[in-house]
Amino acid sequence: MNDGLTFNEVLYPGVQVSYRCDQILYQEKTEHQDLVLFTNPVFGKVLMLDGVTQVTTADEFIYHEMMSHVPLFAHGAARNVLIVGGGDCGLAEEVLKHKTVETLAQVEIDGSVVEFSKEHFADFNAGVLEDNRFELIIADGMKFMAETDRRFDVVIVDSTDPHGPGAVLFSEEFYRNVHRCLTPGGVLVTQNGVPFLQRGELVTSLERFSRIYKDSAAYVAAIPTYFGGHMALGWASDNADLRKVPVDVLKERFEKADFQTRYYTSDVHAAAFALPRFILDAVEEGRSRA
Ligand code: SAM
């Protein structure tokens, strides 16, 4: 909602986050969602989809680094990666820093998000579309996952919340199709909300993961614009060892990868799986319902 001077995120009834809007850079009601990109003095460029903050130039690095480097350094030998969603392409930019990655496919439902991101988010997605390992597919991730015969070592779901077009990406059917398309020992990572305010989403995802994968968990990161405390990232794999890789191995892999980060470190990677009690309770409740 825009009262002329501010954009208010009203994801949670009873509380809202207000961003001063200095300039609207892009606004469109696409085939799939309401899209607005505006500037804010604290967070830089802010993208909202259907009134929910998606990514800002100030803190995107936290989220994009933790959704990419944790599964990729845990896996250690990922060659073929899939992103579902991720229209701003910031996550793709982080995945492509791993020179061991041979192909990265991104299935994004809304071409408009990618189009304007090329111009307005070049500060964090530059080079992605020129990288010959990158393949952009404009499609519903649900349909793609149901029909593809391709196989991936890591699948990262960088979706909106489970409302509107993103809802299907939290379904058991979708998670089953991801499982079908993962190579042995592959891993699924999902955007799974802010447990302090969206506990039910985490419980439900863990319940569904636990019915399909041998190992289901979550890890956390602190993203300032995802209001409400820790952000949970869902984790599902048939290889339980992947989330217990020793820190010295993670460090060795990170050093070998030879790129800089601003949030991710190997110690932060390992610590991210140490969940605060109330989040661990939600994870365990989900597992117990399977
Ligand atoms: N960081 C954000 C968050 O945590 O909410 C997500 C950022 S990214 C912009 C979310 C993307 O998911 C959007 O580009 C949106 O178009 C895409 N998306 C939503 N539903 C989708 C679907 N069913 N298939 C593919 N992409 C989808």
Side-chain angles (χ1 to χ4, degrees):
M1 179 179 71
N2 173 19
D3 60 14
L5 292 175
T6 61
F7 275 94
N8 302 322
E9 179 179 68
V10 286
L11 188 56
Y12 314 105
V15 65
Q16 68 181 24
V17 180
S18 254
Y19 292 93
R20 191 180 89 194
C21 168
D22 288 341
Q23 184 191 1
I24 293 179
L25 297 174
Y26 189 96
Q27 194 159 14
E28 180 188 354
K29 188 164 180 43
T30 77
E31 181 195 347
H32 301 284
Q33 48 210 345
D34 273 331
L35 184 164
V36 63
L37 180 72
F38 60 93
T39 58
N40 170 271
V42 176
F43 288 104
K45 294 178 185 176
V46 181
L47 168 66
M48 277 192 176
L49 292 176
D50 290 338
V52 179
T53 309
Q54 298 296 312
V55 63
T56 82
T57 44
D59 67 356
E60 56 76 28
F61 69 96
I62 302 173
Y63 173 82
H64 292 142
E65 288 182 17
M66 287 302 281
M67 278 200 94
S68 53
H69 305 322
V70 171
L72 287 170
F73 284 129
H75 186 286
R79 296 281 178 271
N80 300 300
V81 179
L82 172 69
I83 292 172
V84 179
D88 50 76
C89 295
L91 178 60
E93 199 249 357
E94 291 299 328
V95 170
L96 292 170
K97 285 179 181 172
H98 294 254
K99 295 309 170 208
T100 48
V101 168
E102 292 169 5
T103 68
L104 170 60
Q106 177 166 331
V107 181
E108 162 57 54
I109 198 168
D110 195 334
S112 301
V113 181
V114 180
E115 273 318 300
F116 86 76
S117 294
K118 284 180 199 169
E119 179 191 346
H120 293 291
F121 285 144
D123 30 353
F124 62 71
N125 67 19
V128 168
L129 295 165
E130 291 73 45
D131 192 312
N132 59 19
R133 295 173 292 164
F134 183 71
E135 175 193 2
L136 178 65
I137 301 159
I138 300 301
D140 182 342
M142 180 74 166
K143 188 170 183 303
F144 174 87
M145 221 65 238
E147 296 171 356
T148 187
D149 55 7
R150 295 171 63 168
R151 293 296 175 263
F152 304 97
D153 304 306
V154 172
V155 175
I156 308 172
V157 185
D158 182 17
S159 72
T160 43
D161 290 291
H163 321 290
V168 290
L169 305 180
F170 292 77
S171 66
E172 185 161 339
E173 182 189 350
F174 176 76
Y175 293 147
R176 282 192 187 285
N177 278 317
V178 172
H179 185 257
R180 177 180 65 81
C181 297
L182 279 175
T183 52
V187 57
L188 161 66
V189 165
T190 61
Q191 183 280 100
N192 241 110
V194 173
F196 188 78
L197 296 166
Q198 297 168 298
R199 186 180 190 277
E201 288 173 29
L202 184 60
V203 174
T204 305
S205 288
L206 265 290
E207 176 186 350
R208 292 171 180 170
F209 290 167
S210 303
R211 286 204 198 108
I212 307 163
Y213 299 80
K214 293 190 176 74
D215 185 52
S216 58
Y219 62 102
V220 290
I223 296 115
T225 49
Y226 297 165
F227 170 74
H230 292 88
M231 164 101 178
L233 299 149
W235 176 278
S237 175
D238 283 342
N239 178 355
D241 295 338
L242 282 191
R243 62 184 171 94
K244 298 168 188 156
V245 176
V247 174
D248 57 346
V249 174
L250 295 173
K251 282 183 177 163
E252 196 181 301
R253 290 175 180 173
F254 187 18
E255 277 159 27
K256 200 170 165 202
D258 190 27
F259 56 77
Q260 302 302 310
T261 55
R262 295 166 59 198
Y263 184 94
Y264 178 92
T265 71
S266 308
D267 291 319
V268 164
H269 175 145
F273 285 93
L275 302 178
R277 183 75 255 170
F278 79 97
I279 299 178
L280 183 56
D281 287 347
V283 167
E284 288 174 347
E285 181 181 329
R287 287 173 179 156
S288 68
R289 287 189 189 173

